[in-house]
Amino acid sequence: MLRSMVSTAEREIRVGLWKIHILHHAAAREVWGLWLLEELAEHGHRLSPGTLYPALARMERHGWLEASQETQARGRRSYRATAAGRRLLAALKRDVAELYREVVLGRAPRGRAGASGENRGAAARHRKRTPSTRAGTK
Ligand SMILES: [Zn+2]
């Protein structure tokens, strides 16, 4: 087995991203270990089976994935997202979109649709905390 390209410390933060990825695919189709390893590798994430399989087992234990009976009989454990897994994915999509807006696009949080002035105030306060503005108030 190739040495993992991801350190233990990095794995701690990346494992959540991999799980979102797994949930995304399991909501759309049946997935299994090898397919996921290849899929994640295409995105540049080289996981070892020793990282992926325990993650799948934990996701199943949490009730986000369920193993399909027929493929289990053929010796391959396949998974689909459960209703709970789909609900979680929907919430995570909002989190990922928000994270992308801020971390990648560098935009301040926006008030949600129909939000009160309180949320818009939070966005304004957030903008005031940017280094350029802070330097100006000194
Ligand atoms: Zn993918």
Side-chain angles (χ1 to χ4, degrees):
M1 191 63 220
L2 287 169
R3 196 172 60 87
S4 173
M5 294 174 70
V6 177
S7 71
T8 305
E10 273 185 46
R11 192 162 56 226
E12 178 183 324
I13 198 160
R14 286 180 191 261
V15 71
L17 299 175
W18 296 331
K19 285 178 179 175
I20 294 172
H21 205 119
I22 291 165
L23 210 46
H24 165 73
H25 286 293
R29 52 162 295 164
E30 201 162 87
V31 298
W32 56 95
L34 184 61
W35 187 86
L36 284 168
L37 286 175
E38 288 170 353
E39 223 295 315
L40 288 163
E42 276 181 39
H43 290 286
H45 302 287
R46 291 176 207 294
L47 281 71
S48 71
T51 296
L52 179 71
Y53 287 95
L56 288 172
R58 280 194 300 275
M59 291 175 75
E60 186 181 8
R61 213 154 53 231
H62 284 302
W64 302 325
L65 296 181
E66 63 188 348
S68 113
Q69 297 300 324
E70 13 171 349
T71 48
Q72 240 174 293
R74 292 203 304 269
R76 187 177 74 191
R77 199 169 176 79
S78 302
Y79 299 91
R80 291 299 307 257
T82 62
R86 287 164 199 277
R87 281 195 300 276
L88 176 61
L89 179 63
L92 289 169
K93 277 185 192 179
R94 290 191 291 275
D95 292 350
V96 169
E98 183 73 22
L99 197 62
Y100 178 80
R101 277 179 52 82
E102 177 155 59
V103 174
V104 180
L105 303 180
R107 294 185 193 155
R110 63 183 157 197
R112 300 225 152 67
S116 65
E118 199 182 314
N119 278 1
R120 283 192 295 276
R125 280 194 302 280
H126 187 88
R127 278 192 298 275
K128 279 182 197 150
R129 286 199 308 268
T130 60
S132 56
T133 314
R134 207 164 43 218
T137 59
K138 198 77 207 262

